[in-house]
Amino acid sequence: MRIKELIRDGVISCRSTDPITCAVAKMYMHNVGSVLVIDEDEKPVGIFTERDLVRIVAEGISLDTPLMKVMSRKLITANTSESVISAAMKMIENNIRHLPVVEEGRAVGMVSIRDLVRALMAQELSYP
């Protein structure tokens, strides 16, 4: 199974200059645990996750702070033709729960560890 089979339409994102509240509102609205942070050319430059939010609250950082100052910059990505197993291994090796999916340098989706577990379980259950 390939990653392209798991991604949903659209990428939930905020610009790097948007405040933290933009990311939190979109995470709440879409019931997701992360938001891709993009630059003015709509290329991914970072990710903002629930873990980042916990750190920010614990450190007392203002929620008006631009995402570029608090996002995770180490962006681990998958491509659409990558296998689910390969993506899962990246997530395990890097201790991450969300993986942006890119194609030709542009974000086309996001997969979570939950998405991968569901796919792998479905695949396992479909074999005799």
Side-chain angles (χ1 to χ4, degrees):
M1 182 179 289
R2 301 287 166 209
I3 289 295
K4 67 181 168 191
E5 298 172 53
L6 301 182
I7 57 175
R8 299 180 201 114
D9 292 336
V11 177
I12 300 167
S13 64
C14 290
R15 298 220 181 263
S16 59
T17 54
D18 288 338
I20 295 166
T21 52
C22 171
V24 173
K26 287 189 178 187
M27 289 164 62
Y28 176 73
M29 231 178 355
H30 297 280
N31 193 31
V32 295
S34 67
V35 172
L36 194 62
V37 182
I38 57 174
D39 64 13
E40 52 279 344
D41 296 324
E42 302 208 6
K43 291 194 177 177
V45 293
I47 188 168
F48 184 83
T49 69
E50 294 165 327
R51 288 180 182 173
D52 294 318
L53 181 58
V54 168
R55 177 181 48 82
I56 286 160
V57 170
E59 293 176 2
I61 296 172
S62 168
L63 296 180
D64 293 326
T65 303
L67 286 168
M68 71 177 78
K69 294 190 178 193
V70 296
M71 68 185 183
S72 299
R73 293 180 185 276
K74 183 180 178 191
L75 200 56
I76 311 295
T77 63
N79 62 55
T80 54
S81 62
E82 196 165 326
S83 74
V84 169
I85 295 289
S86 172
M89 290 307 297
K90 277 184 183 180
M91 294 172 94
I92 290 166
E93 290 167 359
N94 291 285
N95 194 32
I96 57 175
R97 295 181 284 183
H98 302 92
L99 194 62
V101 180
V102 296
E103 194 170 74
E104 297 177 13
R106 298 235 181 254
V108 294
M110 179 89 70
V111 293
S112 70
I113 194 73
R114 181 178 294 137
D115 297 328
L116 299 182
V117 168
R118 280 187 186 136
L120 291 170
M121 286 181 66
Q123 189 174 7
E124 183 69 24
L125 292 173
S126 69
Y127 287 104

